[in-house]
Amino acid sequence: MKLKSVIYTGLALLATNYMFAQANILNAKIPEEIGMKTEAQLLLDNDQPLEYGYVGDRDILFSKMIWEKVVLDERVNFPLYFPIEDNLGDDRKSLYQVLRENMESGMIPKVYADSYFTEERTLEDLEASLTMTRITDSGIDYMNENGVSEDQLPEEYVIRRTISPADINSYLIKGLWYFDKRQGELKYRILGIAPAAPDVNFIDEENSSNSEPIAMFWVFFPEVRDILHEAKAFNNKNSSSPMSFDHLLNSRRFHGLIYKEENVYGDREVKEYIADNALMQLLESERIKDKIRNFEQDMWSY
């Protein structure tokens, strides 16, 4: 009897998860009803991001701050990049689009210029790095011939470019590895994330793909966890069970390359002391990773 109860409970939970994941698509009579939950579903929907436990400073035996570059060309990182289209519905958006839309709506009130979160930025401040407006040579000739100003110039002589989800080629992630001596294990906590893309002023040039990506802005990750929990990343193995961006990032379901660690040299990057040698930079990144991982192994070696 007890086994039956466990089985029925499990089936009920699976059915509930399936019902939420389908977003009413099987019960909708018109397209507008897709994604709308019933009153019963809303009452049961108490899904919240998993809260971080309190960690006292005295509980941290070891810590190391690192910065990683998550390149979106790698298949494992595709859920952070796709979809790049904006017409697939409210439940199918890329991570950059989620961040940008919530910045514009005011749900993300603060973004920062660097990963140390010391200098705040507004959308007006970011306008120069996210958009580009340029007058063509023929437009300059038109202005000189007709004596008109830039405001009076026809749109055919103006090139406008905005950073889109398709232009984001990597994410920069700042996180802290620490050893919790109370639980006796090595843990990781994300502190900041930044979308990176080539300079908008040169993004359409032939050699722009080889240029170093620039961080558009930094967000303090704990501040946006509720927003990232509501936004879902596509699950290629089971589309009825999407994963939230918060879960994806906290569970480290991505591949990142360490490009900087905190150090006595002002947190210099790997490329600053290993220049023009991609292989050695990669090996140095692996060395930093092994140094952190070996600390936990050494704790249990006698």
Side-chain angles (χ1 to χ4, degrees):
M1 184 63 69
K2 187 176 181 180
L3 180 60
K4 283 186 176 181
S5 300
V6 173
I7 294 174
Y8 289 151
T9 303
L11 290 175
L13 289 174
L14 287 175
T16 303
N17 289 334
Y18 179 79
M19 177 178 60
F20 287 158
Q22 290 299 318
N24 203 41
I25 191 171
L26 299 180
N27 301 316
K29 294 182 176 60
I30 57 176
E32 288 75 12
E33 292 182 356
I34 297 177
M36 295 178 60
K37 296 182 179 180
T38 64
E39 293 183 3
Q41 287 176 322
L42 292 174
L43 290 174
L44 293 174
D45 190 7
N46 58 353
D47 188 23
Q48 297 293 331
L50 185 64
E51 293 186 9
Y52 291 146
Y54 176 78
V55 181
D57 292 338
R58 294 183 178 180
D59 298 335
I60 301 177
L61 185 62
F62 162 85
S63 69
K64 174 64 71 172
M65 192 80 70
I66 64 168
W67 287 257
E68 296 175 275
K69 179 186 293 183
V70 179
V71 180
L72 300 181
D73 286 343
E74 300 184 34
R75 185 175 296 276
V76 69
N77 298 328
F78 280 179
L80 296 173
Y81 179 67
F82 291 103
I84 57 177
E85 302 86 1
D86 57 358
N87 59 349
L88 298 181
D90 293 336
D91 58 338
R92 295 286 304 279
K93 296 178 181 178
S94 66
L95 178 57
Y96 174 74
Q97 190 173 358
V98 171
L99 294 175
R100 183 68 188 269
E101 288 182 358
N102 282 277
M103 287 168 53
E104 293 173 350
S105 66
M107 294 297 294
I108 300 180
K110 292 184 291 186
V111 295
Y112 301 88
D114 54 31
S115 61
Y116 298 96
F117 312 111
T118 56
E119 191 174 350
E120 292 186 20
R121 285 285 188 266
T122 63
L123 278 176
E124 290 76 14
D125 298 330
L126 298 174
E127 195 69 23
S129 61
L130 297 179
T131 61
M132 180 269 294
T133 302
R134 186 172 60 199
I135 300 175
T136 62
D137 294 339
S138 57
I140 295 175
D141 294 338
Y142 181 89
M143 292 172 59
N144 294 332
E145 293 173 0
N146 298 276
V148 299
S149 62
E150 295 183 9
D151 297 336
Q152 300 171 326
L153 192 65
E155 282 294 320
E156 59 185 284
Y157 298 113
V158 181
I159 300 175
R160 303 185 189 277
R161 186 69 160 85
T162 303
I163 295 293
S164 66
D167 299 320
I168 304 299
N169 57 18
S170 60
Y171 282 93
L172 308 181
I173 296 180
K174 176 184 179 181
L176 180 71
W177 285 100
Y178 66 96
F179 188 87
D180 191 332
K181 66 181 182 181
R182 284 185 177 270
Q183 300 188 18
E185 62 178 314
L186 189 69
K187 295 185 176 181
Y188 177 73
R189 184 75 61 84
I190 295 181
L191 298 178
I193 185 169
D199 191 334
V200 68
N201 296 295
F202 310 102
I203 195 170
D204 294 322
E205 296 185 0
E206 293 183 358
N207 59 351
S208 63
S209 59
N210 300 324
S211 61
E212 186 70 18
I214 301 172
M216 302 290 99
F217 52 84
W218 282 87
V219 294
F220 188 58
F221 187 79
E223 189 176 15
V224 299
R225 285 195 65 207
D226 289 333
I227 294 172
L228 297 183
H229 179 75
E230 295 296 329
K232 306 299 181 182
F234 184 75
N235 185 350
N236 199 39
K237 296 182 179 180
N238 185 0
S239 60
S240 68
S241 299
M243 179 184 300
S244 70
F245 284 113
D246 176 70
H247 185 190
L248 186 150
L249 292 168
N250 275 307
S251 59
R252 288 191 61 84
R253 299 197 179 190
F254 60 86
H255 177 259
L257 180 68
I258 298 175
Y259 71 92
K260 182 169 70 168
E261 65 169 334
E262 59 178 353
N263 51 63
V264 70
Y265 304 104
D267 297 348
R268 66 179 181 179
E269 297 185 16
V270 171
K271 66 180 181 180
E272 294 181 31
Y273 60 93
I274 302 179
D276 302 327
N277 194 326
L279 176 60
M280 295 305 297
Q281 291 174 3
L282 179 61
L283 294 176
E284 175 66 9
S285 174
E286 292 298 319
R287 185 194 68 82
I288 296 172
K289 185 188 301 182
D290 289 339
K291 178 176 63 175
I292 297 172
R293 183 170 50 200
N294 289 340
F295 179 87
E296 182 182 30
Q297 298 296 326
D298 294 340
M299 290 297 296
W300 307 113
S301 299
Y302 297 95

